[in-house]
Amino acid sequence: MSLIGKTLGKYKLIELVGKGGMAYVYRAVDPDLARVVAVKVMHRYLCEDGSFVRRFGREAKAISRLQHANIVGFIDFDREQDQYYLVMDYINGGTLRDYLAKKGALPPLQALQLILHLANALAYAHQKGIIDRDIKPSNIMFLDKSQTHPVLTDFGLARLRDHKHTTITNSIAGTPSYMSPEALHNEAIDERSDIYSLGIVLYQMVVGSTPYSAETP
C-alpha cells in the first residue's frame, strides 16, 4: 500500500523515489526545518521478523556515526506503530549507475577524481569500524548536477567491524558483480572487501563494463 501523502512522525511522504530488498525510499518534507528529506521505510512484512528489525536498527546506528562530505547525512530513526523508518539527507543528483549508462567509459582523470572522494569516505567509515558490504554504482549518488561530488548513500548491509566474522546464512548479501570472492563464498570479510568492490567500480568507470559477469554468483 502506498504511503504517499501520509505522515510518519513529523515527516510527510511526498513521492516514492526508490525501493530495495529491505525498504521503500520516499521524498518527504520536514516541517520543522522546512526542507526536503529522504525517508527509508522498512517493508511491513519484514517488521514481523526480529532479525530484520535489528538489522535495520544497526543500519541507523551505523549511519548516525558517520559525518563525512561523501557519505549521506543521517537525520533520524524511529518507529510509528508497526512502521520502522530512517530519515536521511535527500540527494537528487542521480546515481553513478545512471551516469555511466549515459556516458559509458569516463576519462581516466575524471574516474580517479571520483574514486578519490569515495576512497576517502570508505577510509573514514573503516576508521569508525563500519564495513559497507555493498559498494556499487547504484549506491553512489551525486550531490551536484555536474556530477563531481559523489556520495555513498546506502549502508543497508553495513556491519560493525566487531561483527566481521558474522556471516549471513541462506542468502548472499550484496551484488555479485561487485563482491569480493570471500563475500561470494559467504566467508568472513573485512575492510578489504569494500576496497575490492571499489576497485571494480573504478574499473567500470574507466573501461565501461565490470570485469566479470555471469548468470549466477
Side-chain angles (χ1 to χ4, degrees):
M1 182 177 67
S2 174
L3 296 177
I4 296 174
K6 298 182 180 294
T7 300
L8 288 180
K10 65 178 180 178
Y11 307 100
K12 184 174 182 179
L13 309 183
I14 298 174
E15 177 187 8
L16 178 65
V17 295
K19 62 180 180 179
M22 283 183 62
Y24 291 101
V25 182
Y26 291 88
R27 182 168 62 91
V29 172
D30 178 346
D32 291 346
L33 300 177
R35 68 166 173 169
V36 175
V37 297
V39 176
K40 188 174 184 179
V41 184
M42 179 187 281
H43 294 319
R44 190 181 296 273
Y45 73 90
L46 293 177
C47 298
E48 301 173 358
D49 186 329
S51 65
F52 275 96
V53 171
R54 288 191 293 272
R55 181 178 167 188
F56 203 68
R58 283 198 297 270
E59 177 179 358
K61 292 179 181 178
I63 295 175
S64 70
R65 298 169 58 188
L66 302 179
Q67 301 292 326
H68 191 280
N70 298 105
I71 297 176
V72 64
F74 173 85
I75 299 172
D76 197 6
F77 170 62
D78 208 345
R79 172 187 179 181
E80 183 164 308
Q81 296 181 347
D82 59 349
Q83 294 283 346
Y84 288 83
Y85 61 93
L86 285 171
V87 184
M88 299 169 287
D89 288 339
Y90 179 71
I91 301 172
N92 64 351
T95 67
L96 178 60
R97 180 186 63 183
D98 294 339
Y99 185 67
L100 293 176
K102 179 180 179 181
K103 296 289 186 178
L106 304 180
L109 180 58
Q110 181 185 6
L112 285 173
Q113 289 171 335
L114 293 174
I115 215 72
L116 281 174
H117 286 297
L118 298 171
N120 286 334
L122 267 187
Y124 169 82
H126 291 166
Q127 289 170 2
K128 295 290 187 180
I130 297 169
I131 304 171
D132 184 285
R133 295 188 64 147
D134 200 20
I135 301 294
K136 58 185 178 182
S138 61
N139 282 345
I140 298 167
M141 297 188 71
F142 293 101
L143 278 180
D144 56 337
K145 295 297 184 180
S146 60
Q147 281 81 35
T148 60
H149 190 145
V151 175
L152 294 172
T153 63
D154 193 348
F155 280 81
L157 299 175
R159 291 291 184 274
L160 299 183
R161 187 158 49 207
D162 291 343
H163 300 136
K164 65 184 176 182
H165 295 301
T166 300
T167 57
I168 299 175
T169 58
N170 301 323
S171 65
I172 291 181
T175 303
S177 292
Y178 302 92
M179 292 171 67
S180 65
E182 60 270 25
L184 280 169
H185 288 92
N186 206 19
E187 298 172 357
I189 68 167
D190 57 26
E191 294 88 343
R192 291 171 293 183
S193 288
D194 279 349
I195 296 171
Y196 179 96
S197 299
L198 192 64
I200 298 292
V201 173
L202 174 59
Y203 183 100
Q204 182 178 0
M205 285 196 288
V206 174
V207 176
S209 63
T210 56
Y212 311 112
S213 62
E215 294 182 358
T216 68

